Amino acid sequence: MIDGKKLSRKKREEHLEKLSCVVGGCTRCPELAETRTQTVFGVGNPEARIMFVGEAPGADEDKQGEPFVGRAGQLLNKILEASQLKREEIYICNILRCRPPGNRNPTATEAANCREYLDGQIALVDPEYIICLGTVAAQNLLSNKIPIGRMRKKFHEFEGRKVMCTYHPSYLLRNPSAKKDVWEDMQMFMADLGIDLPEH
């Protein structure tokens, strides 16, 4: 696997583009390959310090080919803005690069089939921090079965990177009271970057 540390921004972009082309032709999960409109690779700064990882594309993402563009994506944009982060500064991708039919959760086999692509993106972008959005992202990245509620409020580690786990924006759309928890998580995260966020 290519290590992004040694690459210029242009080279990282080229390698990510190559990987994206490989993903575009992937048929490892026959059901997903048959039902998708297109693959949803990832977007953002190829030299980002912070990578956000979600679970899988939804209908809007499948249509547009970009992660987090639907209602959950709009809420994520608000979270980023409130946290003094810009979408173009970060990198965003998912555990899966194809939409599961009916927006069901990815199966373990599907996540395993897609893992090589996630690992490739992480190696190329080489972020300092990874923020896992939701149970599927957190459990798959960190290879555990711990509920998301218990993974919050502390940093985990993945290949020398700091990992923070919080609720997925789509969960917040269904459970608005959990927005307070996500804000607490973002306060903890930004404090680690040396930025104090106000109380909400």
Side-chain angles (χ1 to χ4, degrees), residues 2-112:
I2 296 159
D3 182 358
K5 272 187 186 71
K6 304 179 179 75
L7 299 177
S8 66
R9 184 185 178 104
K10 190 170 186 304
K11 282 286 178 201
R12 289 188 201 201
E13 284 171 350
E14 285 170 10
H15 284 294
L16 285 165
E17 186 56 43
K18 274 184 200 160
L19 187 57
S20 175
C21 289
V22 172
V23 167
C26 181
T27 55
R28 288 178 187 175
C29 307
E31 183 191 17
L32 301 190
E34 266 174 42
T35 56
R36 73 188 180 212
T37 305
Q38 60 191 317
T39 54
V40 180
F41 183 67
V43 291
N45 179 0
E47 297 178 304
R49 278 183 80 192
I50 307 162
M51 178 183 276
F52 282 72
V53 179
E55 50 189 59
D60 293 308
E61 290 75 17
D62 177 67
K63 204 181 291 173
Q64 295 184 43
E66 188 174 317
F68 286 95
V69 291
R71 283 180 67 220
Q74 286 158 19
L75 182 52
L76 177 62
N77 289 345
K78 286 180 183 167
I79 293 166
L80 292 173
E81 196 178 319
S83 304
Q84 301 177 27
L85 295 171
K86 292 187 171 70
R87 191 159 165 143
E88 60 270 20
E89 288 172 356
I90 63 169
Y91 192 89
I92 309 177
C93 60
N94 283 306
I95 293 295
L96 288 199
R97 276 127 205 82
C98 297
R99 180 196 179 200
N103 284 2
R104 63 164 170 75
N105 281 344
T107 65
T109 302
E110 288 164 352

Side-chain angles (χ1 to χ4, degrees), residues 23 26 39 44 46 50 62-64 84 87 94 124 129 142 145 159 162 164 168 174 184-185 188 196 200:
V23 167
C26 181
T39 54
I50 307 162
D62 177 67
K63 204 181 291 173
Q64 295 184 43
Q84 301 177 27
R87 191 159 165 143
N94 283 306
L124 285 166
Y129 295 91
L142 298 170
K145 294 284 179 215
E159 295 179 350
K162 285 186 172 181
M164 187 188 85
H168 194 285
R174 299 190 301 272
E184 283 172 9
D185 294 336
M188 179 192 87
D196 288 328
H200 258 216

